[in-house]
Amino acid sequence: MNKWLRQFRFEWNMIFRNLWLLALPLAFAVMNVWTIGSVAPESNLFNEAYTFHAFVHTMTLGLVMLVGILSVRRDIRRSSYEWSSALPVPYATKVSAKYLAGLIYFSIFTLIAAAVFAWFSAQRGIAPEITVEYALYFAVTYEISYMVTLALAMLLAIAIPNRVVYLIGFCAWMFGTFFMDIFLIDKARLYPLQTFHLSRLFLVTNQPYDTWGFRLIGDELLYSRLFVLSFVLLLLVAGVTVLNRIRPTKHKLAVWSVSAFAVLLAALAFVPYGQIWQERYEGYYAKLADPTLKSLDESPEWNSSDLFRITEYDLNVKREPNDSLRITSKLTIPGDDLKAAGNRELNLTLNRNFNVQKIRVGDNEASFSRKGDQLDIKLPALKPEGLLEVEITYAGTMMDYAPGFQGQGSFYAFVKGDDLFLPGYIAWYPLAGHQPVYVKEMDGSGIQLGSVFIPHAPYSTQFKLKLAGFDRPLYTSLPETGREQGKQAFEGQVSEGLSLFGGDFLELESGDFPGKAVTTPCNAKLGEDILAQWKKMYAYFSGWIHPFESRLDQLLFLPNENYMKHSVENQTYVMTYLFDKDYASKMLMNQMLLGSRKGDYLIENMSEDVRLQIRGLMWYLYTREEEGYSDEEIWQGSGNGYLIQELYARDEGTDPDRVGLQMVKQVAQALDEGKYKQVKEVLNYFYAKGIEVPDPNVEPAIADNKIPFTAWEKEWKRVMGDENGN
Amino acid sequence: MIEINHLSKKYRRGGWALHDVTLTLNEGMVGLLGPNGAGKSSLMRILATLVPPTAGEATINGIPLRKAEDIRGMIGYLPQQFQVYPQLTGAEYLDYVGEMKGMNDRKRRKAEIDRLLEEVNLQDKAGKRVRTYSGGMKRRLGIAQALLGSPQVLIVDEPTAGLDPEERVRFRNLLTRFSLGRIVLLSTHIVADIESNCRQIAVLDRGRVRMSGDLAELQDYGRGKVWEGIVSEEQFARLDPMSVVSTRRSEQGLLCRVIGEAPPSGSDGVLVRPTLEDGYLALLRTSQREGARGYE
């Protein structure tokens, strides 16, 4: 032990008496403080820090490689230092002392990275447990990378006594970071090789996000790290073994036994990690082999007109301790719909990850069959009259992995701990008919989500949803009707599917403002800012619009584009990225005030339908009155161009008369004359009539609620007195 | 005592460095002579347990080489090429080596280091970093580290290379003192290094032992083969350069000392008493002639 300590002290001095090496952690600390400290308050600290560390940490691995090689080449396998090999010191002592001294040196970098993040995270008021969790994540990831890179560098230097080892070490660094990511993991889609990447921070994955991110793959990370640790041991043992092969030892048997043990340990440590990937790929290959999955070139078969209506869902979702869900879905189906289709069999779609346990139709248990995601229920001989009630009980776990999804391998849906993402299109509740949850690529080489092909139900459905067994609240696009410890209830109309979201999220509210923002702790400041602006705009519009009909009451700001896109689902706006909080808050207000304009593509003649122009005038008025821009400034492009573009758009095909321009001139002149009240009266009139332009597949009645230009002129004259508003 | 039995060493890339070497080396200074590439360093590296032999066995004080860890505890080794961590001072370096050799008592270690630094004439430079040392000073530091801990066996490979004449003498005397009751194995191709101190010598050439014994035995190899005579410059040009040991210009011509069966042709050369170097060269000539006849 004395010798080991002396050797360690010696190696320690070799590093810590080197001014260059001492200066590097200092420079690293300055860079950290400079970069992390300059992250704007409304930016996501975790995401920004991750991006910084991904690059800087990978750069420091080059230094690890260099120091590792230098520490070995200092006196091992160099003929002019052969005297040291004649000393009665085992190589295990020398190698382990070198390794530990080097690792302690690089742990300073780890500590700096974690401490600087923790400091700035705490300064922002992020909850201590989250700060600690994220800081530890950075620390552990840094440290594991340093451990394996240092061990690799030392083994290279031991195995290659020539100076060319510096070049080979450089190549190993390049390959183990940049090239492995680009060519092996990403291009060849060999995702299980991620564990061999020297810097997990550098991998293109979901981990940079605090929405789900690394928590979701906690078990993979754990097993990967355990494997890497055992691999580190293997590398070090291999190094000592190589040296003991060159220099005689009386402990040959022990050396080889330890080597064999290290190999065995690494192999065993790979098993749980490999099993995770095996399970993931098992599900994927099962889908590929599933004959019920259609190929992309068969898409015409999916037609919403074949679907029957499910007018009411009553869902009870219970989470079991092992992350499995047990769900009871009660569906109400008009019997006429089934009769019209001549069905003796009820065809539904339910995700394959759920095992159906029991089905009752009316008061009777019904038999059923499953093929992939298809669920076919034998209807009773008695033809259903009136409303058919079907109760389906099913259970299962959901970690639906897709290699290559979002270009990096990801989950279509998942339930893991507090993290949960169940989009409606994944069929976590039974959908009408046989709908394509997944589709095969044309050459059959891969699987894609079928969500783009799943037809929207051409009607609204009443949903009741009860949740139990979840430690944290879940979020969905339905109004929440009750919440108590571990239980939640939601109820409302659903027209575009129902998704469930869960995670380490914050709920942000502001007094009596009816809107709510849900986001991650690192986005709290941004969420608060958006909510404040949204509230301010709401105060403006609700001050003169009567009755104000809110079409949005919740923002889910979940920055992780790998799972969702920007979308509006029922009364909820899901945002996955933000360029600008001003833009975001106006999008929210626009949706809350005006609802959808998904059906705007059907307006072929603007003179016949000026709903888009009236929507634009609402924002024109806001820009003039609330933001203080003049008509001239707006004309020159200031203000909210993206919200009022229909007023100025030039399209000879659909708008030869430039009705938008005519309307905005009328309004501008009236406002210049101080007739704000009258303008608001006109706009209020049309708002009450309805200026939403929804998808005709979803809400055909509203979509067809046209407002012709003549109607505008008539009302304008009525309120303003004559053509000029005088 | 070091007993070497049929020891051979073959490197992966290259031929046999040692071939069936059998020697018994007793206490005292043992000189290992041989030209460059004779296998001296290979033999020393094997005895210092740095590389394993390809065949054969050796014991040092009864301990076989395969018990390498036990042997390392009893030897001091100075390789032919010697470098030290430039950022350490001489004293720090020796302190490190001492502790690695198991000298755990700090006071005793320091006392021995001070003594050795004085012995190798580095006491004034002990606190200076090694990077400021000259080549000869580094060599002396290497000698000190090998002597540190008073090893039972000292293996020094070409230790006098790079030393000035004064230091060389000082070093020989140091080794002679040290060899009392111990084995000091010294390899060199400079005969003068062993002439005054070694009780036993072995001559290696092309991996084989050509001779083992005392100084007189080696000297005897030159008996009846060393001639001196005066030759003209034309006659000198016709002499076999390998046979000429030395030349000195005189008024009558060139006074040549040659090794051969007959005096240099054209001269009235006389047989002279061989020196140790003559004996060594005569032995090597014999060895090389045998080699040329396909001895290998």
Side-chain angles (χ1 to χ4, degrees):
Chain A
M1 194 60 191
N2 273 345
K3 282 185 186 175
W4 191 91
L5 287 173
R6 183 64 182 91
Q7 183 69 37
F8 174 72
R9 207 165 74 234
F10 172 79
E11 299 296 341
W12 173 279
N13 287 338
M14 286 288 157
I15 292 174
F16 288 90
R17 282 190 189 174
N18 185 315
L19 287 179
W20 285 105
L21 290 180
L22 279 184
L24 289 171
L26 198 65
F28 182 74
V30 171
M31 275 176 75
N32 264 267
V33 172
W34 181 273
T35 309
I36 309 290
S38 61
V39 174
E42 63 270 22
S43 294
N44 186 317
L45 183 71
F46 178 74
N47 186 234
E48 298 281 340
Y50 201 107
T51 309
F52 167 72
H53 287 307
F55 177 71
V56 173
H57 172 61
T58 307
M59 290 294 108
T60 61
L61 291 183
L63 181 66
V64 180
M65 193 63 82
L66 181 65
V67 169
I69 292 172
L70 282 173
S71 72
V72 168
R73 286 186 58 80
R74 187 180 298 131
D75 49 20
I76 291 178
R77 298 205 70 181
R78 289 184 65 189
S79 55
S80 54
Y81 281 81
E82 248 183 3
W83 56 266
S84 71
S85 300
L87 295 175
V89 184
Y91 273 127
T93 298
K94 292 191 86 165
V95 170
S96 59
K98 283 175 188 292
Y99 181 73
L100 194 64
L103 190 61
I104 289 174
Y105 171 70
F106 286 108
S107 298
I108 296 173
F109 290 76
T110 300
L111 281 176
I112 290 169
V116 171
F117 174 82
W119 167 260
F120 284 106
S121 179
Q123 291 298 103
R124 285 169 176 247
I126 293 172
E129 63 272 18
I130 292 172
T131 294
V132 169
E133 183 188 5
Y134 291 170
L136 272 179
Y137 172 74
F138 283 128
V140 173
T141 311
Y142 257 72
E143 199 64 9
I144 296 265
S145 282
Y146 285 155
M147 289 173 86
V148 69
T149 308
L150 188 62
L152 176 64
M154 289 177 64
L155 176 60
L156 284 175
I158 287 169
I160 306 165
N162 194 285
R163 264 182 235 164
V164 75
V165 72
Y166 290 109
L167 181 64
I168 290 175
F170 176 78
C171 293
W173 170 46
M174 285 286 121
F175 181 81
T177 52
F178 303 103
F179 294 120
M180 180 180 270
D181 188 31
I182 295 168
F183 296 108
L184 283 184
I185 296 172
D186 202 23
K187 282 205 170 170
R189 295 188 175 186
L190 297 172
Y191 303 110
L193 292 185
Q194 286 176 359
T195 193
F196 292 100
H197 198 285
L198 293 179
S199 170
R200 279 205 76 118
L201 289 172
F202 196 73
L203 285 169
V204 180
T205 62
N206 284 311
Q207 292 163 53
Y209 302 99
D210 60 337
T211 307
W212 304 315
F214 67 85
R215 287 196 196 99
L216 195 55
I217 54 166
D219 51 352
E220 180 199 329
L221 284 177
L222 173 69
Y223 293 131
S224 168
R225 285 165 177 167
L226 287 176
F227 168 68
V228 172
L229 288 178
S230 64
F231 193 67
V232 166
L233 180 71
L234 177 62
L235 292 173
L236 293 173
V237 168
V240 173
T241 306
V242 168
L243 290 171
N244 278 318
R245 278 200 67 202
I246 297 164
R247 187 177 80 161
T249 176
K250 68 177 178 181
H251 302 302
K252 259 187 188 171
L253 183 63
V255 167
W256 285 107
S257 301
V258 172
S259 300
F261 171 75
V263 171
L264 189 67
L265 186 69
L268 286 176
F270 191 81
V271 170
Y273 176 77
Q275 272 176 342
I276 286 179
W277 285 98
Q278 193 245 337
E279 283 168 21
R280 288 176 182 174
Y281 275 93
E282 206 170 60
Y284 172 71
Y285 286 118
K287 288 186 196 108
L288 270 183
D290 182 355
T292 67
L293 290 194
K294 297 213 164 47
S295 170
L296 279 169
D297 49 2
E298 296 174 88
S299 59
E301 285 191 23
W302 302 314
N303 192 337
S304 63
S305 62
D306 295 339
L307 300 180
F308 51 86
R309 287 178 297 158
I310 299 174
T311 54
E312 199 173 318
Y313 279 95
D314 189 349
L315 306 178
N316 275 285
V317 180
K318 187 167 187 306
R319 183 186 147 206
E320 307 287 347
N322 60 351
D323 285 333
S324 123
L325 295 183
R326 183 179 166 80
I327 303 176
T328 304
S329 294
K330 286 182 191 165
L331 320 180
T332 303
I333 303 165
D336 288 345
D337 280 25
L338 298 175
K339 271 202 297 187
N343 278 345
R344 296 295 303 275
E345 191 177 67
L346 185 64
N347 301 136
L348 297 170
T349 301
L350 181 68
N351 192 285
R352 65 191 61 216
N353 287 298
F354 293 112
N355 294 314
V356 176
Q357 295 172 337
K358 194 171 68 176
I359 296 179
R360 295 182 71 87
V361 176
D363 296 328
N364 304 312
E365 201 156 310
S367 62
F368 61 92
S369 64
R370 294 211 71 182
K371 282 181 195 163
D373 304 303
Q374 299 173 357
L375 170 61
D376 300 324
I377 303 168
K378 293 272 181 223
L379 291 177
L382 183 64
K383 284 192 178 177
E385 302 280 338
L387 295 172
L388 181 72
E389 288 196 342
V390 180
E391 183 180 295
I392 306 168
T393 304
Y394 52 95
T397 56
M398 178 66 86
M399 288 300 286
D400 196 1
Y401 183 76
F405 181 46
Q406 301 298 347
Q408 58 192 316
S410 193
F411 297 95
Y412 289 138
F414 52 82
V415 179
K416 187 170 181 60
D418 292 332
D419 295 324
L420 182 148
F421 175 53
L422 291 174
Y425 53 73
I426 210 74
W428 62 275
Y429 55 87
L431 304 177
H434 287 162
Q435 302 195 24
V437 179
Y438 312 99
V439 290
K440 288 179 192 169
E441 287 172 7
M442 284 190 196
D443 58 359
S445 64
I447 296 291
Q448 289 187 15
L449 271 178
S451 54
V452 292
F453 303 103
I454 291 185
H456 289 304
Y459 54 86
S460 288
T461 302
Q462 179 67 21
F463 258 79
K464 285 182 189 165
L465 171 65
K466 285 182 185 154
L467 306 173
F470 294 93
D471 297 332
R472 287 175 174 274
L474 298 189
Y475 302 93
T476 184
S477 54
L478 287 177
E480 191 171 348
T481 54
R483 184 190 293 191
E484 58 186 79
Q485 189 61 40
K487 289 184 178 175
Q488 285 174 277
F490 300 85
E491 190 169 348
Q493 289 289 314
V494 166
S495 55
E496 296 182 57
L498 186 70
S499 303
L500 266 181
F501 306 87
D504 190 358
F505 303 144
L506 289 178
E507 286 178 48
L508 306 171
E509 291 176 300
S510 181
D512 57 353
F513 174 56
K516 177 171 84 173
V518 176
T519 190
T520 60
C522 286
N523 283 303
K525 176 73 173 72
L526 182 60
E528 284 165 5
D529 288 355
I530 291 172
L531 197 63
Q533 288 192 26
W534 184 12
K535 182 183 178 183
K536 199 175 160 197
M537 284 184 275
Y538 170 77
Y540 170 78
F541 285 110
S542 62
W544 59 270
I545 294 177
H546 305 287
F548 186 94
E549 276 186 51
S550 174
R551 290 165 177 83
L552 188 81
D553 54 23
Q554 182 171 251
L555 161 66
L556 286 183
F557 177 42
L558 307 176
N560 189 340
E561 292 175 72
N562 295 321
Y563 295 108
M564 308 155 289
K565 301 296 171 203
H566 261 26
S567 60
V568 177
E569 184 184 284
N570 306 311
Q571 294 276 85
T572 293
Y573 208 133
V574 182
M575 290 188 177
T576 54
Y577 64 91
L578 275 186
F579 292 125
D580 175 46
K581 60 188 174 188
D582 182 66
Y583 175 83
S585 55
K586 281 172 181 163
M587 285 293 102
L588 291 169
M589 189 64 231
N590 190 57
Q591 183 65 30
M592 184 187 213
L593 176 70
L594 304 173
S596 170
R597 54 172 290 173
K598 285 183 180 172
D600 60 5
Y601 64 93
L602 289 175
I603 301 176
E604 292 175 347
N605 187 339
M606 294 292 181
S607 299
E608 291 176 5
D609 190 353
V610 292
R611 281 179 295 177
L612 295 179
Q613 285 73 13
I614 296 172
R615 290 163 69 101
L617 285 172
M618 306 288 275
W619 282 105
Y620 177 84
L621 177 62
Y622 173 83
T623 310
R624 290 284 305 266
E625 186 174 26
E626 194 68 5
E627 295 185 337
Y629 287 104
S630 67
D631 181 62
E632 179 71 16
E633 287 171 324
I634 295 172
W635 178 255
Q636 286 173 357
S638 299
N640 306 300
Y642 49 94
L643 293 166
I644 59 176
Q645 58 188 335
E646 270 77 17
L647 300 176
Y648 302 98
R650 183 194 292 270
D651 186 338
E652 293 296 329
T654 59
D655 189 17
D657 302 325
R658 304 289 302 271
V659 291
L661 200 57
Q662 291 180 52
M663 290 164 76
V664 77
K665 277 183 179 172
Q666 286 175 310
V667 171
Q669 188 181 345
L671 295 182
D672 289 342
E673 293 165 1
K675 295 179 178 176
Y676 284 87
K677 194 179 162 201
Q678 290 88 329
V679 170
K680 286 176 181 171
E681 187 183 336
V682 175
L683 294 176
N684 217 338
Y685 168 79
F686 288 109
Y687 182 83
K689 280 181 74 77
I691 51 177
E692 193 168 8
V693 192
D695 186 341
N697 289 322
V698 179
E699 292 180 273
I702 302 175
D704 205 33
N705 188 17
K706 293 178 179 174
I707 299 175
F709 182 59
T710 51
W712 163 266
E713 290 218 295
K714 185 178 172 188
E715 180 61 13
W716 183 262
K717 278 180 192 169
R718 188 188 70 75
V719 174
M720 299 294 177
D722 63 26
E723 193 177 336
N724 298 318
N726 295 317
Chain B
M1 187 170 66
I2 299 175
E3 283 188 288
I4 301 167
N5 293 311
H6 306 291
L7 202 70
S8 295
K9 177 69 185 173
K10 188 176 193 298
Y11 289 109
R12 200 176 294 170
R13 292 174 200 165
W16 290 93
L18 291 174
H19 203 98
D20 199 24
V21 171
T22 298
L23 281 171
T24 301
L25 310 174
N26 296 311
E27 270 182 16
M29 286 264 286
V30 179
L32 202 55
L33 266 175
N36 289 333
K40 305 187 296 291
S41 292
S42 293
L43 178 59
M44 297 191 119
R45 292 178 78 224
I46 289 170
L47 294 177
T49 70
L50 297 176
V51 288
T54 307
E57 179 57 285
T59 59
I60 298 179
N61 289 346
I63 300 171
L65 285 180
R66 62 178 177 276
K67 293 190 173 177
E69 282 79 0
D70 300 341
I71 286 178
R72 278 178 213 125
M74 64 165 77
I75 62 166
Y77 174 64
L78 175 67
Q80 196 172 357
Q81 291 175 303
F82 178 79
Q83 287 292 331
V84 185
Y85 316 106
Q87 55 272 61
L88 296 186
T89 67
E92 281 174 342
Y93 166 66
L94 290 179
D95 187 63
Y96 162 70
V97 173
E99 221 169 329
M100 289 293 109
K101 285 188 173 184
M103 300 169 70
N104 293 328
D105 186 323
R106 186 178 294 189
K107 278 186 182 171
R108 285 184 61 189
R109 191 168 68 237
K110 186 173 183 321
E112 187 168 345
I113 288 169
D114 289 345
R115 182 183 61 77
L116 279 170
L117 283 168
E118 201 173 324
E119 296 253 31
V120 297
N121 199 21
L122 281 175
Q123 67 275 27
D124 296 338
K125 294 281 184 183
K128 302 279 184 196
R129 293 195 190 284
V130 175
R131 69 162 63 95
T132 64
Y133 284 22
S134 67
M137 288 160 78
K138 282 183 194 167
R139 199 76 196 153
R140 282 184 270 154
L141 189 64
I143 292 160
Q145 67 82 24
L147 294 172
L148 194 58
S150 300
Q152 296 169 45
V153 176
L154 184 66
I155 301 169
V156 284
D157 194 357
E158 310 266 4
T160 54
L163 296 184
D164 59 36
E166 189 188 344
E167 289 298 341
R168 186 175 289 206
V169 171
R170 188 186 178 111
F171 171 67
R172 282 181 202 150
N173 294 334
L174 175 63
L175 285 192
T176 305
R177 281 200 305 279
F178 188 80
S179 66
L180 292 173
R182 298 186 180 90
I183 303 171
V184 175
L185 181 59
L186 177 149
S187 89
T188 183
H189 56 268
I190 303 167
V191 178
D193 279 347
I194 59 170
E195 199 164 20
S196 55
N197 310 79
C198 289
R199 291 168 56 185
Q200 187 185 352
I201 52 173
V203 178
L204 286 180
D205 184 31
R206 280 169 289 174
R208 291 176 184 275
V209 178
R210 300 302 178 188
M211 174 267 165
S212 174
D214 58 22
L215 297 176
E217 283 178 64
L218 179 58
Q219 200 169 351
D220 273 354
Y221 274 90
R223 194 173 298 280
K225 293 175 184 169
V226 185
W227 304 81
E228 259 187 14
I230 293 174
V231 294
S232 66
E233 294 211 1
E234 291 75 25
Q235 287 169 330
F236 178 75
R238 285 197 296 272
L239 288 177
D240 174 8
M242 293 292 291
S243 66
V244 179
V245 179
S246 66
T247 55
R248 202 171 70 228
R249 196 171 289 279
S250 69
E251 287 179 1
Q252 291 81 22
L254 292 168
L255 177 63
C256 280
R257 188 181 179 97
V258 297
I259 294 174
E261 299 302 324
S265 63
S267 76
D268 51 353
V270 292
L271 269 175
V272 293
R273 182 183 162 79
T275 63
L276 188 63
E277 188 168 16
D278 294 332
Y280 170 60
L281 291 173
L283 174 63
L284 283 186
R285 287 204 62 190
T286 309
S287 165
Q288 281 156 7
R289 272 203 304 273
E290 286 169 351
R293 283 203 298 266
Y295 184 86
E296 288 288 323

